[in-house]
Amino acid sequence: MVKHAALLVGLVLTVAGAPPSALAQRPPDPAALLAAQSDAMRRLAFMDGAWRGTAWTLLPSGEKREVTQTEPVGPFLGGPIRVIEGRGFEADGRLAFNAFAVISYDPRASRYSMRSYAQGRAGDFEITATANGYTWEIPGGRRGPSRTRKLEP
């Protein structure tokens, strides 16, 4: 009981010594957050569209596997997020790969992130907007991290 009383006294003294501005802080204005997110996401507007082309990956065996990849990409919620669905098709038309991702921007942390779902797994990845595209990295794996780089078309 004495331990709890000492903790309570410490908390009261800490709050009492806090500057008035710290006690009066309010949550950020949602309109300002949405505007900051939308502004930052404009750097990735070049991604928008319905994309189709050849994609490849290296299998654990070292074999290179090619598919025809389609990716519709676009803004949602009025601009603060981008949604991507990637589908890879074998030469015979069978679906070989399907992924879904949401890219967002956190103005308080000044960083982009991507939540991705593919092959029964999900993950959160930092994505970096560059002068001519973006990069993101999948950490770990048998061969170490996998880095993906995309340039503007």
Side-chain angles (χ1 to χ4, degrees):
M1 188 68 163
V2 172
K3 189 176 186 181
H4 293 295
L7 182 61
L8 181 59
V9 168
L11 179 61
V12 168
L13 290 175
T14 301
V15 170
S21 62
L23 298 175
Q25 287 182 357
R26 294 186 204 143
D29 174 28
L33 282 175
L34 287 169
Q37 291 167 339
S38 294
D39 285 346
M41 292 302 289
R42 283 188 190 95
R43 287 191 66 192
L44 300 177
F46 71 88
M47 298 170 65
D48 296 350
W51 304 95
R52 181 181 178 88
T54 302
W56 59 270
T57 187
L58 290 177
L59 300 176
S61 66
E63 174 189 354
K64 185 177 179 179
R65 180 178 184 197
E66 287 192 3
V67 295
T68 299
Q69 186 82 6
T70 63
E71 291 194 2
V73 181
F76 275 72
L77 299 177
I81 65 171
R82 281 216 156 38
V83 173
I84 305 167
E85 182 188 22
R87 299 176 126 218
F89 297 92
E90 299 284 356
D92 65 4
R94 284 181 301 120
L95 182 64
F97 177 79
N98 194 203
F100 181 82
V102 176
I103 299 174
S104 61
Y105 181 79
D106 181 350
R108 285 171 272 167
S110 297
R111 71 179 193 92
Y112 295 89
S113 63
M114 178 172 62
R115 176 76 173 162
S116 173
Y117 303 87
Q119 299 175 316
R121 295 185 294 265
D124 294 304
F125 307 97
E126 187 168 345
I127 183 169
T128 303
T130 63
N132 60 348
Y134 63 89
T135 62
W136 62 281
E137 192 171 288
I138 301 172
R142 269 187 348 191
R143 298 178 187 204
S146 168
R147 189 167 184 90
T148 300
R149 183 168 80 121
K150 170 70 174 149
L151 301 177
E152 289 183 74

